Amino acid sequence: MKANDLLPIGDLARRTGLSVSAIRYYESKGLIEPHRTGGNQRRFLRSDIRRLSFILIAQRLGLSLGEIEGQLARLPQGRTPDAKDWAAISRSIRDQLDARIAELQRARDNLDGCIGCGCLSLKNCTLYNPDDALATKGPGPRIVIG
Amino acid sequence: MKANDLLPIGDLARRTGLSVSAIRYYESKGLIEPHRTGGNQRRFLRSDIRRLSFILIAQRLGLSLGEIEGQLARLPQGRTPDAKDWAAISRSIRDQLDARIAELQRARDNLDGCIGCGCLSLKNCTLYNPDDALATKGPGPRIVIG
DNA sequence: ATGGAACCTCAACCTAACTTGAGGTCAAGA
DNA sequence: TCTTGACCTCAAGTTAGGTTGAGGTTCCAT
């Protein structure tokens, strides 16, 4: 065990699978705030591995860096986040995931209905045809998902 | 009924809810190919409304313009697409949607498991911790979705 | 104490999917 | 015929999420 647990950016990159430039980019976006050595090099806490892992996971779940920053802002200040802190965030993301899944399922069901009636090209389908009943609601096929 | 069913770009924009510049952009990407007047103005077929509506729908389902172009390439050449043509494409997109939904559901289930064990911040979670059993598989939390 | 790997900043580049603006042309109703 | 709104092209700008390269500095094992 080293007396000093601070990691240089290269180590953090290896541990998270991120590129060094991506980590610097996240810093520039305010997602992570490393310390600096006297020589201006970044030094990260071990808990920053979790933080970056979380960013990777959340991205894969479809969140933008902005949304992720919002989630990370819920972590405690001045104290290393513990299991409960991360669990709270995970739960909140789970809700977003559920919503996204539900939305896609709605879209799929609508598409299913339209396969049945062939409406993507038929004049008399109210779902897709802006000339028909929905014309007053504004143009386009927006309705499918909304 | 006009003798001539060709539409100028502005009409098409109004009918689809797209901006004029977006339609021009789609043309530049090969997604749509209007005729031209003697004075070089675009003139679109009525069936192009469907085509653009389809682009809008597919985008909302998460397809990129490139993927959409791939789908549109399946439409018949030289003949106005009919209900069956569009239905075939819809079905293919439905499959992609199903896959996407399944992937998100897998991700959510993994996340659920991790809320239970608090692993986003615990050293002993093999799912998220690159130092543990999965270390040999390369760094990072990639595992969650893959 | 030294040499090279690893670090630093800053600017420029990249893709996707568009928008905006400049400068100029077309077409259709009065 | 004239006027004016709609159209044209082409270049540059925008946001997200980064990468790449130039030119220079720091750290640490020997």
Side-chain angles (χ1 to χ4, degrees), chain B residues 6 27 33-37 40-45 48:
Chain B
L6 295 176
E27 183 191 1
E33 287 186 8
H35 298 125
R36 298 283 182 147
T37 65
N40 198 34
Q41 296 197 356
R42 291 168 182 84
R43 287 298 180 266
F44 296 84
L45 299 172
D48 286 335

Side-chain angles (χ1 to χ4, degrees), chain A residues 83-146:
Chain A
K84 264 168 68 182
D85 298 322
W86 287 115
I89 289 193
S90 293
R91 235 182 309 273
S92 146
I93 285 195
R94 198 203 113 105
D95 292 345
Q96 292 183 43
L97 255 189
D98 280 340
R100 213 173 289 252
I101 289 170
E103 188 188 357
L104 279 182
Q105 278 169 338
R106 265 200 312 281
R108 184 192 54 192
D109 293 346
N110 278 321
L111 199 55
D112 280 355
C114 280
I115 288 176
C117 80
C119 64
L120 258 174
S121 75
L122 289 179
K123 290 223 170 83
N124 51 4
C125 174
T126 50
L127 253 187
Y128 285 92
N129 199 319
D131 298 344
D132 291 343
L134 289 162
T136 50
K137 290 241 181 189
R142 309 275 161 90
I143 313 89
V144 181
I145 291 205

